[in-house]
Every structure is written in C-alpha cells, then in structure tokens.
Amino acid sequence: LDGADHGVVERARLGAGHAAVGPDRDHRLHQREVGVPRVAGLKREHHARHGHLVLAGARVGREHRTWSDERSHRSRLQDPLRDQRQRVVGEALQGWRERIVLSTKNPEYKDEKTWWQNLEDSLERLQVEFIDIYNHHGINWERYVEHVEPNVSKWMTKAKDQGLVRHICTSFHDSNENLIKLIDLGFFEGFLVQYNLLDRQYEDAIAYAHEKGLGVEIMGPVGGGRLGSRSERLEGIVDSSSTAELALRFVLANPNVS
C-alpha cells in the first residue's frame, strides 16, 4: 500500500520478550527470520515475483505520542486519529507480516529520548519486532548537516545494529543537486521522493540512486490528488481507463523506481 500521504497503523501492545527501546541499553528484540527481501536497489518486478506487498507507513506528526508527559496529551487532542492510523495498519499486518515490506518515518531531530520513544511507539502500535524501511522524515541538506550527521545518524545506526530497523532511508524535500550529494555520502540505503507526471525534478537523482544500487520509493504518484480527476486530454495519450491509472503507469514505467 502506498500513496501521497502514506497511511499507517500502529500496534497497541508489545509481545512477550520485547525489550523497551532506548539509547542506553541493548534493545534487540526477539526476531524471527522472514521472507522479506533486501529493499535497497530492488526492482518492483522482484517484489512481484516473490508476492511481496509494500505497506508504507504514513507520516506521523511532529508531536509524537509519549505516554506520560503533557505534550503527549496535547498531541492526542490535536490529532486524535494519529495513533489509530498506525494501529489500523498493525491489525492489517496480522497474518501478512512475512510478505510485507513495512516503511514509516521518525520526525524527531533534536531530542534523543523522544526519537527512541517514537520508534518504540511505532513498534508497539504496528505490532512488529522490526521496521523494514525506517525514514528520517523530510530532510534537506541543511537539516542533514545540522542534525542528522552529528546526532540522528548515530541513533539510527544503533537501532539498525540492534535489529529494530533493517534499512536506513529518508524522505527528502530539497533540490536535485542536494539529493545527489546525499546519495554520494553512502549513508542512506534508499530515498522517498516526490515524483509524478507534474513533478519530475528528481528524475536525474532517481536514476543516479538506481545506478548506485539504492532503493527509490515514490510519494505523491498522483500529484497529491491533482491527477485523480478525469482528464480526457491525458487519457487520450495512451490507452488508459483513468487519469490516475495513467499517473501510476508513468511512475511504474520508470526502471529506476524500486
């Protein structure tokens, strides 16, 4: 499941044997080997042959839920559906986990305790022991230099070493040139970028990432809904039942998209 504003579902409880997540302990969860292939650089045809689905986690707002503080209470009042979205996905995962590539994001960049709490909350709500694709949320070059490189990259690497995440990725909003600079750093295994018929600014960087063996996820394949309405002009270009279908076919036809 994928889309411009990825829907998420979280899990309400940790199973037996799960450890709390945090920066000062070894929080490796009891894992079982599952049939989810490596995502970075993996073409969608590979996924199709193995019958895997991609379930993309939705952006959860900057005020992530924590269980004890006042900010948590304010956050739930501001967006009472946030937790339910991840819990819904968690329920939908039941019986399908071994065939799903699960992706979600962490928007925290300043406070380490909050970053780990965000990860723990997502694991709990989604009812999973690990997340396949864990994204830094919405970075640009400036945010990478100021926050990711000196701090967040260390937290993310530790989470991967502990088996809580499989692939370190990021959603990205900046120039094509700066995306290429991030690719060249070699830290990220994949990128989530905007790409559709109306917005092709990252086309060169998408090709470059594929050349480097990195994965590329797409957000906004129907332009945030702008390509969801009927357009006889667009539908007349190729044999297509709808403008939305044409938009999706355009994205999927790019061999550099994973």
Side-chain angles (χ1 to χ4, degrees):
L1 303 178
D2 206 343
D5 191 23
H6 314 287
V8 217
V9 188
E10 302 189 29
R11 177 171 197 166
R13 54 194 180 281
L14 286 172
H18 284 62
V21 176
D24 301 322
R25 298 175 54 193
D26 181 4
H27 308 286
R28 186 181 304 276
L29 303 181
H30 296 290
Q31 298 182 47
R32 63 182 182 278
E33 289 302 316
V34 297
V36 179
R38 179 177 177 83
V39 173
L42 196 65
K43 291 186 175 62
R44 61 186 175 282
E45 292 84 2
H46 191 122
H47 287 289
R49 286 199 305 272
H50 289 79
H52 293 102
L53 304 176
V54 175
L55 184 58
R59 178 176 61 191
V60 181
R62 186 166 297 278
E63 293 287 353
H64 270 257
R65 173 175 171 178
T66 56
W67 295 99
S68 59
D69 61 12
E70 185 182 42
R71 189 183 75 173
S72 168
H73 178 66
R74 291 200 309 269
S75 175
R76 290 196 297 273
L77 290 178
Q78 291 167 359
D79 186 359
L81 296 178
R82 177 182 305 137
D83 293 349
Q84 293 158 339
R85 286 195 294 266
Q86 284 201 332
R87 293 187 193 284
V88 167
V89 172
E91 292 301 321
L93 282 171
Q94 301 309 299
W96 289 85
R97 181 64 183 104
E98 296 184 2
R99 299 179 62 192
I100 300 272
V101 176
L102 182 64
S103 172
T104 191
K105 309 173 186 177
N106 192 327
E108 182 58 46
Y109 285 96
K110 296 181 179 180
D111 182 68
E112 183 176 6
K113 182 178 179 180
T114 301
W115 190 94
W116 285 100
Q117 183 67 56
N118 289 346
L119 175 56
E120 180 176 7
D121 287 348
S122 287
L123 291 168
E124 179 186 6
R125 297 170 191 146
L126 290 164
Q127 305 183 56
V128 296
E129 297 174 341
F130 61 88
I131 294 168
D132 299 293
I133 300 173
Y134 204 44
N135 291 289
H136 299 268
H137 173 60
I139 73 169
N140 52 30
W141 182 254
E142 180 181 4
R143 177 172 281 176
Y144 175 81
V145 172
E146 292 183 2
H147 299 292
V148 176
E149 184 177 30
N151 297 312
V152 187
S153 63
K154 297 178 176 63
W155 312 337
M156 184 73 86
T157 299
K158 186 169 186 177
K160 182 177 180 180
D161 290 344
Q162 294 172 359
L164 303 177
V165 303
R166 285 195 163 184
H167 301 284
I168 297 173
C169 302
T170 186
S171 59
F172 178 83
H173 302 278
D174 201 344
S175 68
N176 192 74
E177 293 72 23
N178 283 339
L179 179 52
I180 290 174
K181 287 165 64 176
L182 285 180
I183 292 170
D184 283 336
L185 291 173
F187 174 67
F188 299 103
E189 299 175 72
F191 297 87
L192 173 62
V193 297
Q194 179 93 3
Y195 179 63
N196 55 62
L197 273 168
L198 303 177
D199 186 352
R200 301 173 62 179
Q201 67 165 319
Y202 296 129
E203 209 158 62
D204 290 343
I206 289 172
Y208 187 61
H210 176 75
E211 179 184 325
K212 294 290 186 178
L214 305 179
V216 179
E217 295 178 89
I218 300 302
M219 69 174 92
V222 292
R226 289 173 294 168
L227 292 167
S229 301
R230 184 76 187 269
S231 170
E232 294 183 2
R233 181 179 179 184
L234 286 176
E235 292 170 19
I237 296 175
V238 295
D239 182 18
S240 178
S241 62
S242 69
T243 305
E245 179 190 339
L246 176 62
L248 292 174
R249 288 172 64 181
F250 169 79
V251 172
L252 295 173
N254 188 329
N256 301 314
V257 173
S258 298

